[in-house]
Amino acid sequence: MLFNNVSALSLDQLIDTWPSTPWTFAEVLPAEFSPFILMGVLLSLITVYATSKIGGELSKRLDLPPVLGELVGGVVVGISALHLLMFPENTATITDSLIAQLVQWMGHLDADAAMRVFEGQSEVISVLAELGVIVLLFEIGLESDLRELSKVGFQAAVVAVVGVVVPFTLGTVGLVSIFHVPVIPAIFAGAALTATSIGITSKVLSELGHLKSKEGQIIVGAAVIDDVLGIIVLAVVASLAKTGEVDLLNVVYLIISASGFLLGAILLGKFFNTGFVAIADKLQTRGALLIPAFTFALVMSCFASAIHLEAILGAFAAGLVLDETDKRKELDQQIMPIADILVPIFFVTVGAKADLGVLNPMVAENRAGLIIAAFLIAVAVVGKLVTGWAVFGQPGINRMAIGVGMIPRGEVGLVFAGIGSASGVLDRPLEAAIIVMVILTTFLAPPLLQLTLKGSNVEMSSSDVLPATD
Amino acid sequence: MLFNNVSALSLDQLIDTWPSTPWTFAEVLPAEFSPFILMGVLLSLITVYATSKIGGELSKRLDLPPVLGELVGGVVVGISALHLLMFPENTATITDSLIAQLVQWMGHLDADAAMRVFEGQSEVISVLAELGVIVLLFEIGLESDLRELSKVGFQAAVVAVVGVVVPFTLGTVGLVSIFHVPVIPAIFAGAALTATSIGITSKVLSELGHLKSKEGQIIVGAAVIDDVLGIIVLAVVASLAKTGEVDLLNVVYLIISASGFLLGAILLGKFFNTGFVAIADKLQTRGALLIPAFTFALVMSCFASAIHLEAILGAFAAGLVLDETDKRKELDQQIMPIADILVPIFFVTVGAKADLGVLNPMVAENRAGLIIAAFLIAVAVVGKLVTGWAVFGQPGINRMAIGVGMIPRGEVGLVFAGIGSASGVLDRPLEAAIIVMVILTTFLAPPLLQLTLKGSNVEMSSSDVLPATD
């Protein structure tokens, strides 16, 4: 049992200091931490919402996408500045987390108990953030039009493939030839340059009302395919790092399961739609439409995760499928408040976990990383910008916007950095360089995307978009 | 660090078995459990929603309150039967939890890692359940009318005090004189008979469309006051159990802080309302109304928790205050989907954690408990039924309904049982008896309340109630 080491928190002490232990049913020991974990979660959520609103509104006033304000706000309250919203993976002691310290002080907890509570609260916030992207992608799926998406499907695939091959090649070759990095770490860093952050890009597109434009649909489609390609690249690189050779069988399995999943979801969609509407019509209790739809999104997320895809791909597919029903409008309306509550947790958390300390050139050990980082950022931007010119048969399309839309790397790049450094493939400067690249592409993309989309001359059904920027 | 004992899960193994570790930003070790915890949470949520819908719909078809179906459904999937939704406090090994086993199998986790994931997932579900009651009470507060509530405030207070004094006295005296239980455990068991479960009662009232009736408002008001009294009783009893004497200072502190909090919230309400509407009107990004309102509910919950009251009291007060604004209707609409998603987690979890094994008379050690339980149930029912006849100056009121509405004991009774048994005051039969009493009053109250309210001849603004039973 993990709780042995916290027996220092005696029951007497608990009764003494916290008479209102109450109300989780059947919570006997060892769940004595529950009220403190709840307190930590409540304080963290209050921080998240205050941050997201202040950041989002300021960003909006500066005529920038609100999500940028949420990200920057996250940086302000996170590891880089105020230390309000902290996570155990960023910090060794809870004295770094103001919320954890407050909870410890209020509950008179000893160090072990406080650490346990801190970990519990961070875990809850992390899962809520993950549910946030799941709901975001479900909403994006609901807003996307499957027929529109299929029309641009081939273009999206080309954009995705170009956007994986170019940065990977440029990055790997450049690192080896210019910086004399050994081949395997170079491949790892090159791989980290491939996957676009679908969450950030789609949120910005939605906020700008451009999700349904041709450019928007190509970007979202390409980002989804990109995500699948990223997972395959990760599998290849990880097996390379481990055994020095590529596990072809696993790669083939991933390709088949990913394509099978996405195509299967779409083909089964029509069949499922009829059943879904019939079920929703029969239900008589509250949430008759919402609960089956939300459960469907969770089932698809789970299923995607089980076959080693990303959970968010499942949620996106679920949204695409349900978008085809005539309940779509009603569902949109009901999902919106849930997204409003959960999605900010994701973006603020992303900002809070980004450690801008690696950007400080005054720290000697950062400098090597910063030079490599400058190179990686250049490759990251150029390697995705070119994808816009890979689009064909779409005269008058905003090629620049497509390229810019693919720039943000977000979370997947950091997973590469984390796995690479944990398995000893990446040294500290190269890992720091990847993190800097991810942070900068993530924060630069929203304003750049707004800039390139402004005055974009494409047809778009503006009446149809979500009131995301009202 | 808690993660030392799980180093058996090597990174290689992780890469090998789970290529899609992705997408929590900056998740390096020791957060390698995140994808598994997410998987466990998703599976648990799917179980919860399927259970709540099946149970709720069946209950509705049988013309019973849907929440009863959710509770019973929870029992079916929980510790008492299917072992799908389990919690570490109920079970020593994860082999008892089917979801945990599935996650372990999918992730090829070793026993320690699987236990860690199981605990993480349970913690998240428990916190989500707690957020569920918070949202429920916020919604109930929004539906309640402060002026109506003040009109019946004195009656509610009388009902609450009678409903605390009668069962406490009957229970304690009866246990000592009939069952020869020593005085301190008898006082403990008597105290466990006092607090009404505001969550269950208010949910049933809302489902029956009776929340705004005079009876409904008296019940809710009395349940809130009851909750405060329960916390005071708990503090008294806990200090009695600990030192053998009552810490009068703490009791006085609790009484003052509780009354101060509730009165202060209501008095400050008017002032806050104007400010709140002004802020919400100024915001331009998504969730302009919802996020400030939800954050306010969380702040009040936090504040209530910090002064040793229950978090749900804060959420209720927040709802009461915001009900006075002209944004009320819009807010109701937006909170509803959030409640639809979160509230079932609470009720299904309550059912899942209730171990009906203590009801089995074939187990010899249960029998002593069952006899005492029969006595406690009689006291629990009678002691609250009489409260209806304590109401005065309300001719034609449904006294029976008020008494029945106060019957369910829910979570607070279990907290008494848990603390009493952990501190060694309660022996096993007496603890089991309290648990049986809580389970039965919780499950009996919804159908009984429906029965007594049916054809109730009171005035009620039925146009105004939530479409809870549509």
Side-chain angles (χ1 to χ4, degrees):
Chain A
M1 289 293 290
L2 283 164
F3 295 98
N4 295 342
N5 58 345
V6 290
S7 54
L9 176 85
S10 72
L11 184 79
D12 282 354
Q13 197 185 340
L14 186 76
I15 291 174
D16 201 13
T17 60
W18 197 272
S20 65
T21 336
W23 73 268
T24 327
F25 208 84
E27 296 273 70
V28 273
L29 305 173
E32 80 258 62
F33 299 119
S34 283
F36 305 108
I37 292 176
L38 178 67
M39 180 60 105
V41 169
L42 289 179
L43 289 171
S44 303
L45 288 179
I46 292 168
T47 308
V48 164
Y49 294 132
T51 307
S52 83
K53 269 287 146 258
I54 294 172
E57 289 290 328
L58 284 179
S59 193
K60 176 94 185 156
R61 303 299 147 104
L62 297 172
D63 209 20
L64 290 165
V67 69
L68 181 68
E70 297 187 14
L71 287 168
V72 174
V75 170
V76 173
V77 295
I79 171 89
S80 302
L82 293 183
H83 287 207
L84 273 164
L85 200 64
M86 299 287 285
F87 292 86
E89 58 263 36
N90 282 147
T91 175
T93 59
I94 68 151
T95 51
D96 280 340
S97 163
L98 293 184
I99 288 178
Q101 276 191 292
L102 184 61
V103 172
Q104 176 175 25
W105 174 78
M106 287 196 300
H108 304 262
L109 302 177
D110 64 29
D112 279 342
M115 192 66 202
R116 178 81 191 75
V117 168
F118 176 48
E119 284 171 357
Q121 123 202 355
S122 304
E123 216 148 72
V124 173
I125 295 294
S126 293
V127 170
L128 285 176
E130 292 170 6
L131 288 175
V133 231
I134 287 178
V135 170
L136 174 64
L137 267 285
F138 183 50
E139 202 183 18
I140 298 290
L142 278 174
E143 289 176 58
S144 298
D145 188 322
L146 188 54
R147 268 158 298 193
E148 270 311 303
L149 209 57
S150 333
K151 266 192 234 159
V152 297
F154 195 68
Q155 271 89 353
V158 172
V159 166
V161 171
V162 171
V164 164
V165 172
V166 175
F168 178 75
T169 315
L170 280 184
T172 308
V173 172
L175 284 175
V176 172
S177 57
I178 306 175
F179 296 95
H180 309 292
V181 173
V183 174
I184 288 200
I187 289 180
F188 223 103
L193 288 164
T194 57
T196 298
S197 165
I198 180 171
I200 288 163
T201 282
S202 60
K203 176 77 177 169
V204 176
L205 285 171
S206 168
E207 286 180 347
L208 297 176
H210 266 267
L211 198 58
K212 295 224 160 186
S213 69
K214 198 157 271 171
E215 285 85 353
Q217 291 293 293
I218 292 180
I219 294 173
V220 169
V224 166
I225 299 169
D226 225 27
D227 227 32
V228 176
L229 294 177
I231 290 161
I232 294 166
V233 171
L234 180 60
V236 173
V237 171
S239 80
L240 201 67
K242 201 183 118 205
T243 62
E245 50 191 58
V246 174
D247 180 354
L248 260 181
L249 207 67
N250 192 19
V251 172
V252 170
Y253 162 78
L254 276 172
I255 293 173
I256 293 174
S257 65
S259 344
F261 176 78
L262 283 174
L263 291 178
I266 290 162
L267 292 176
L268 279 177
K270 279 226 154 61
F271 166 76
F272 176 80
N273 273 339
T274 348
F276 173 78
V277 173
I279 289 174
D281 279 338
K282 282 228 176 65
L283 297 184
Q284 298 170 4
T285 53
R286 264 184 68 162
L289 175 63
L290 179 61
I291 297 282
F294 192 64
T295 308
F296 179 59
L298 297 183
V299 169
M300 293 289 277
S301 301
C302 229
F303 189 61
S305 201
I307 60 171
H308 300 315
L309 291 175
E310 287 196 53
I312 53 172
L313 287 182
F316 178 74
L320 270 186
V321 166
L322 294 186
D323 179 48
E324 301 291 289
T325 66
D326 52 6
K327 301 269 182 195
R328 170 197 132 67
K329 279 251 160 76
E330 203 183 327
L331 193 54
D332 263 356
Q333 279 254 319
Q334 296 187 16
I335 288 290
M336 213 189 289
I338 297 170
D340 286 345
I341 293 288
L342 288 176
V343 176
I345 308 176
F346 174 69
F347 288 112
V348 174
T349 303
V350 165
K353 284 182 177 175
D355 188 353
L356 297 195
V358 295
L359 286 172
N360 183 1
M362 306 304 285
V363 179
E365 59 175 356
N366 285 344
R367 283 175 214 151
L370 283 176
I371 294 168
I372 306 178
F375 168 74
L376 288 184
I377 291 164
V379 172
V381 172
V382 172
K384 291 290 186 183
L385 274 186
V386 298
T387 61
W389 281 267
V391 179
F392 55 94
Q394 300 280 357
I397 203 152
N398 190 336
R399 296 175 187 279
M400 187 61 119
I402 292 177
V404 170
M406 303 298 290
I407 287 178
R409 293 312 195 282
E411 53 288 352
V412 181
L414 290 185
V415 172
F416 276 88
I419 290 184
S421 110
S423 62
V425 171
L426 296 176
D427 56 7
R428 162 101 186 124
L430 197 49
E431 189 204 350
I434 294 176
I435 294 175
V436 171
M437 178 277 290
V438 169
I439 291 174
L440 276 188
T441 55
T442 301
F443 286 77
L444 279 178
L448 283 181
L449 193 53
Q450 181 169 38
L451 209 66
T452 53
L453 278 173
K454 219 162 220 178
S456 182
N457 58 346
V458 288
E459 81 267 34
M460 54 167 289
S461 45
S462 62
S463 66
D464 225 21
V465 298
L466 241 174
T469 51
D470 56 343
Chain B
M1 288 294 290
L2 282 165
F3 294 98
N4 295 340
N5 56 343
V6 291
S7 54
L9 176 85
S10 73
L11 184 79
D12 281 356
Q13 197 186 339
L14 185 76
I15 291 174
D16 202 12
T17 58
W18 196 273
S20 66
T21 337
W23 73 268
T24 328
F25 207 85
E27 295 274 71
V28 273
L29 305 173
E32 79 260 62
F33 298 119
S34 283
F36 305 108
I37 292 178
L38 178 66
M39 180 61 104
V41 169
L42 290 179
L43 289 171
S44 303
L45 287 180
I46 292 167
T47 307
V48 164
Y49 294 133
T51 305
S52 83
K53 268 287 149 260
I54 295 172
E57 290 289 329
L58 284 179
S59 193
K60 174 95 187 157
R61 304 298 147 104
L62 296 172
D63 209 20
L64 290 167
V67 69
L68 182 67
E70 298 187 14
L71 286 168
V72 174
V75 170
V76 172
V77 295
I79 172 87
S80 301
L82 294 182
H83 287 208
L84 272 164
L85 200 64
M86 299 286 286
F87 292 86
E89 57 264 35
N90 283 146
T91 175
T93 59
I94 69 150
T95 51
D96 280 340
S97 165
L98 293 184
I99 288 178
Q101 277 191 291
L102 185 61
V103 172
Q104 177 175 24
W105 173 78
M106 288 197 301
H108 305 261
L109 301 177
D110 64 29
D112 278 342
M115 192 64 201
R116 179 81 191 73
V117 169
F118 176 48
E119 284 171 356
Q121 123 203 354
S122 304
E123 215 147 72
V124 174
I125 295 294
S126 293
V127 171
L128 285 176
E130 293 171 7
L131 288 176
V133 229
I134 287 178
V135 171
L136 174 64
L137 266 285
F138 183 49
E139 203 183 17
I140 299 289
L142 278 174
E143 289 177 57
S144 298
D145 188 322
L146 187 54
R147 268 156 301 193
E148 268 314 303
L149 209 57
S150 333
K151 265 191 236 159
V152 297
F154 196 69
Q155 271 89 353
V158 172
V159 166
V161 171
V162 171
V164 165
V165 171
V166 175
F168 177 76
T169 315
L170 280 185
T172 308
V173 172
L175 284 176
V176 173
S177 58
I178 307 174
F179 296 94
H180 308 293
V181 173
V183 174
I184 288 197
I187 289 180
F188 223 103
L193 288 164
T194 57
T196 298
S197 165
I198 179 171
I200 288 163
T201 281
S202 60
K203 177 77 177 168
V204 176
L205 284 171
S206 168
E207 285 180 350
L208 297 176
H210 265 268
L211 198 57
K212 294 223 161 186
S213 68
K214 197 157 270 173
E215 286 84 353
Q217 291 292 293
I218 291 180
I219 294 172
V220 169
V224 166
I225 299 169
D226 225 26
D227 226 33
V228 175
L229 294 177
I231 290 160
I232 294 167
V233 171
L234 180 59
V236 172
V237 171
S239 80
L240 201 67
K242 200 183 118 202
T243 62
E245 50 192 58
V246 175
D247 180 354
L248 260 181
L249 207 67
N250 192 18
V251 171
V252 171
Y253 162 79
L254 275 173
I255 293 174
I256 293 175
S257 65
S259 344
F261 176 77
L262 283 175
L263 290 178
I266 291 163
L267 291 177
L268 279 177
K270 278 226 153 63
F271 166 76
F272 176 80
N273 273 339
T274 349
F276 173 78
V277 173
I279 289 174
D281 280 338
K282 283 229 176 64
L283 298 183
Q284 297 169 5
T285 53
R286 264 184 68 163
L289 175 64
L290 180 62
I291 297 283
F294 192 63
T295 308
F296 179 59
L298 297 183
V299 169
M300 293 289 278
S301 302
C302 230
F303 188 62
S305 202
I307 60 170
H308 300 315
L309 292 174
E310 286 195 55
I312 52 172
L313 287 182
F316 178 74
L320 270 186
V321 167
L322 293 186
D323 178 50
E324 301 291 290
T325 67
D326 51 6
K327 301 270 181 194
R328 171 196 132 67
K329 278 250 160 77
E330 204 184 325
L331 192 56
D332 263 356
Q333 279 255 319
Q334 296 187 17
I335 288 291
M336 214 189 287
I338 297 170
D340 286 345
I341 293 287
L342 288 176
V343 176
I345 307 176
F346 174 68
F347 288 112
V348 173
T349 303
V350 165
K353 283 182 177 175
D355 187 355
L356 296 197
V358 296
L359 286 172
N360 183 359
M362 304 303 285
V363 179
E365 60 175 357
N366 286 345
R367 282 176 214 151
L370 282 176
I371 295 168
I372 306 179
F375 169 73
L376 289 184
I377 291 164
V379 172
V381 172
V382 172
K384 292 289 186 183
L385 275 185
V386 297
T387 62
W389 280 267
V391 178
F392 55 93
Q394 299 280 356
I397 202 149
N398 189 336
R399 295 175 187 279
M400 187 59 118
I402 292 177
V404 170
M406 303 298 290
I407 287 178
R409 294 312 196 282
E411 53 288 353
V412 180
L414 290 185
V415 172
F416 276 89
I419 290 184
S421 112
S423 62
V425 171
L426 296 177
D427 55 7
R428 163 96 188 128
L430 197 49
E431 189 203 351
I434 293 176
I435 295 174
V436 171
M437 178 276 290
V438 170
I439 292 174
L440 276 189
T441 55
T442 300
F443 286 76
L444 279 179
L448 283 181
L449 194 53
Q450 181 169 39
L451 209 67
T452 51
L453 278 173
K454 219 163 220 178
S456 182
N457 59 347
V458 288
E459 81 268 31
M460 53 169 290
S461 45
S462 61
S463 66
D464 226 21
V465 297
L466 241 172
T469 50
D470 56 342

